[in-house]
Amino acid sequence: MTIQDPTPFPGQTSSQVSFHRTELSVILSLYGRMVAAGEWRDYGISCLRDAAVFSVFRRTAEHPLYRIEKRPKLRNRQGQYCVVGMDGQILKRGHDLRTVLRVLERKLIRPVD
C-alpha cells in the first residue's frame, strides 16, 4: 500500500496563513455590531502565503475601509495582528487581537443628544 502526500511537491508543506476559529469569532462579533450600527455592509477574507486578511467594506465593490491582517512572521517583533486604514496607514498593531480591534470599537461610541 502506498500513501500519497496531498501536497503537490514531496517534502514541502502548503504554507497558507488563515484565521483560527477563535480569531474569526472575535472579528465577526465586532463585524456584527458594526453592521447593526449601519457602519459596515460587506466583508471579504483572503488567505495568502504570508498573511490572512479580513477586509471590511462600506458598500460592495469598493475599496475596503479597514483591513484586519494576521502576519505570523511578525509574531516576535511588533505583533502578528494589525488594523490598516483605507489609506494604508497602520492604525494599531499588537500581539492580542482583542486589544488591536479596540481601535475600531471606538467608532461605535457616539455622544447621546
Side-chain angles (χ1 to χ4, degrees):
M1 178 184 345
T2 60
I3 300 174
Q4 291 183 336
D5 190 13
T7 58
F9 300 105
Q12 289 184 348
T13 59
S14 63
S15 59
Q16 188 177 31
V17 179
S18 62
F19 288 106
H20 192 264
R21 175 181 279 175
T22 56
E23 296 166 337
L24 271 179
S25 70
V26 171
I27 294 171
L28 288 175
S29 73
L30 172 66
Y31 176 77
R33 288 182 299 204
M34 295 299 264
V35 167
E39 296 289 323
W40 297 348
R41 285 191 144 191
D42 198 11
Y43 72 90
I45 298 176
S46 301
C47 297
L48 306 172
R49 178 170 286 166
D50 60 341
V53 181
F54 187 93
S55 302
V56 177
F57 300 90
R58 181 164 298 179
R59 292 181 190 86
T60 309
E62 199 177 71
H63 293 291
L65 285 175
Y66 301 104
R67 291 189 328 256
I68 302 164
E69 297 182 356
K70 175 184 177 182
R71 296 185 182 271
K73 287 186 179 180
L74 297 176
R75 182 180 318 133
N76 295 330
R77 295 183 194 142
Q78 302 137 339
Q80 66 179 346
Y81 302 109
C82 71
V83 175
V84 182
M86 182 183 242
D87 54 353
Q89 182 180 8
I90 296 176
L91 302 176
K92 181 88 172 167
R93 181 177 296 229
H95 298 283
D96 184 36
L97 182 61
R98 290 183 194 272
T99 58
V100 170
L101 292 180
R102 282 187 194 152
V103 73
L104 298 176
E105 289 179 359
R106 290 184 197 148
K107 310 276 184 206
L108 281 174
I109 300 172
R110 295 183 183 166
V112 178
D113 293 332

